[in-house]
């Protein structure tokens, strides 16, 4: 198949592109700089249709749209919160508008997040649940709605509601691993909040699976079937490293450090991959301890 991928330099995007090419698929990446090869296309996420004509994606079977400002690693000032929102909404609107103008448009797998559900108090939710409350839930609602031009044109659109991606290469695990190795791992807040996660390898498998499932459209949760609490995550990672994790970071301290978005980052929702499993997808890494063991073993062999 022929794919086009935005956000190809990110944690998920770079792994997806590598997997697709290793599997024999052709991949074009949309970049915001001068293309370095014939496998890259320059685009502008804030321009109408991304500054592209429909001919730019001729022959593409699937567009995987993952571009957006990072959630973690920066303090959420008002200006950065707007960047988080605008980067997702404007880019998705541009891609959807471009595809809607094509005679033979590709499938659109459009990035989304489990932030859609907001804080459910830890109860299980699936794709049938309504949007929740809070900044992230509002962003995700706008993000998904921005793909409406493609849906209205009859294009199959799958919104990939992604949980916390577990990979030693980055994301949450990549950020906290150095601290845990030093025995400075800590529970966040009460530690009771549910964390819906997915191994990076399973995310890649799920995206490739969904690309070929002609009967699947709409929101699909890409989360492992076994969510954990923050306390369980902390204990599992500390145990895998054979390090203590006796610390906790109180909510007021988190609020001060994170710029007033603690309520969004400490939300609790057990997000289940109902539609993915109903479509016949099987997780290769369904349990967190197994994922952490695999990631740490790979990190050790790489070192």
């Amino acid at each position: 198949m022929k794919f086009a991928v935005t956000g190809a330099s990110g944690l998920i995007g770079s792994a997806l592109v590598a997997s697709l090419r290793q599997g024999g698929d052709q991949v074009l990446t949309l970049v915001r700089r001068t293309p370095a090869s014939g496998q890259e296309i320059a685009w502008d996420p804030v321009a109408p249709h991304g500054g592209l004509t429909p001919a730019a994606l001729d022959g593409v079977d699937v567009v995987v749209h993952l571009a957006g400002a990072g959630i973690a690693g920066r303090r959420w000032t008002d200006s950065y919160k707007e960047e988080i929102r605008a980067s997702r909404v404007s880019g998705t609107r541009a891609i959807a508008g471009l595809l809607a103008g094509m005679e033979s448009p590709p499938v659109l797998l459009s990035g989304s997040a489990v932030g859609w559900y907001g804080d459910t108090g830890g109860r299980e939710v699936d794709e049938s649940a309504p949007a929740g409350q809070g900044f992230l839930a509002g962003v995700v609602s706008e993000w998904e709605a921005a793909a409406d031009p493609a849906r209205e044109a009859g294009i199959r659109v799958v919104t990939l509601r992604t949980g916390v991606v577990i990979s030693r290469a980055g994301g949450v695990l990549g950020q906290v691993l150095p601290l845990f190795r030093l025995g400075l791992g800590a529970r966040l807040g009460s530690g009771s909040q549910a964390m819906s996660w997915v191994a990076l390898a399973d995310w890649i498998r799920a995206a490739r699976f969904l690309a070929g499932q002609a009967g699947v459209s709409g929101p699909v949760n890409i989360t492992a079937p076994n969510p954990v609490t923050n306390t369980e995550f902390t204990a599992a990672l500390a145990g895998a490293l054979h390090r203590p994790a006796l610390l906790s970071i109180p909510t007021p301290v988190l609020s001060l450090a994170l710029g007033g978005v603690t309520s969004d980052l400490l939300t609790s929702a057990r997000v289940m991959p109902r539609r993915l499993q109903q479509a016949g997808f099987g997780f290769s890494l369904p349990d967190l301890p197994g994922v952490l063991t695999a990631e740490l073993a790979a990190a050790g062999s790489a070192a």
Side-chain angles (χ1 to χ4, degrees):
M1 299 176 72
K2 185 175 182 179
F3 288 78
V5 180
T6 75
S9 62
L11 173 66
I12 298 175
S14 58
L16 174 64
V17 169
S19 175
L20 290 171
R21 286 176 174 161
Q22 288 168 5
D25 294 304
Q26 184 179 354
V27 183
L28 299 174
T29 58
L30 275 63
V31 299
R32 292 180 293 168
R33 52 170 171 74
T34 302
S37 73
Q39 295 179 316
E40 295 183 342
I41 300 173
W43 79 306
D44 179 358
V46 302
H49 298 178
L52 301 173
T53 65
L57 299 184
D58 273 351
V60 170
D61 300 296
V62 182
V63 172
V64 187
H65 173 51
L66 302 174
I71 294 292
R74 286 188 57 175
R75 192 169 185 271
W76 283 14
T77 60
D78 287 344
S79 62
Y80 194 63
K81 287 168 71 173
E82 174 56 22
E83 184 177 343
I84 288 172
R85 187 201 67 80
S87 65
R88 285 159 173 76
V89 174
S90 62
T92 302
R93 186 181 294 123
I95 289 292
L98 175 65
L99 300 190
M102 296 180 65
E103 290 187 9
S104 299
V107 172
L108 174 59
L109 304 185
S110 190
S112 183
V114 297
W116 164 276
Y117 302 101
D119 193 332
T120 69
R123 65 180 172 84
E124 288 189 0
V125 292
D126 62 20
E127 292 88 351
S128 65
Q133 301 295 316
F135 169 71
L136 286 178
V139 167
V140 177
S141 294
E142 288 189 66
W143 190 6
E144 293 193 2
D148 282 348
R151 295 187 187 93
E152 292 164 0
I155 296 169
R156 181 166 75 92
V157 177
V158 183
T159 47
L160 310 174
R161 290 183 182 167
T162 301
V164 175
V165 176
I166 303 297
S167 169
R168 68 187 182 281
V172 169
L173 182 59
Q175 290 181 344
V176 304
L177 195 53
L179 292 175
F180 273 75
R181 289 189 188 280
L182 294 172
L184 298 176
R187 186 182 72 245
L188 302 181
S190 70
S192 64
Q193 63 272 23
M195 171 181 163
S196 297
W197 61 275
V198 65
L200 177 58
D202 272 337
W203 193 99
I204 301 302
R205 291 180 57 247
R208 298 187 68 166
F209 173 82
L210 290 167
Q213 296 295 305
V216 179
S217 62
V220 176
N221 295 332
I222 305 189
T223 58
N226 298 301
V228 296
T229 65
N230 179 258
T231 295
E232 290 169 337
F233 172 82
T234 301
L237 181 53
L241 290 167
H242 307 291
R243 297 287 192 275
L246 305 177
L247 305 175
S248 64
I249 302 177
T251 299
V253 175
L254 286 171
S255 182
L256 181 64
L258 298 175
V261 296
T262 309
S263 60
D264 285 290
L265 296 183
L266 296 184
T267 55
S268 182
R270 294 182 176 274
V271 179
M272 307 307 293
R274 201 78 66 204
R275 297 194 67 210
L276 196 52
Q277 291 181 310
Q278 288 173 348
F281 180 80
F283 287 84
S284 62
L285 294 165
D287 299 301
L288 184 65
V291 176
L292 295 176
T293 297
E295 289 293 324
L296 295 175
S301 63

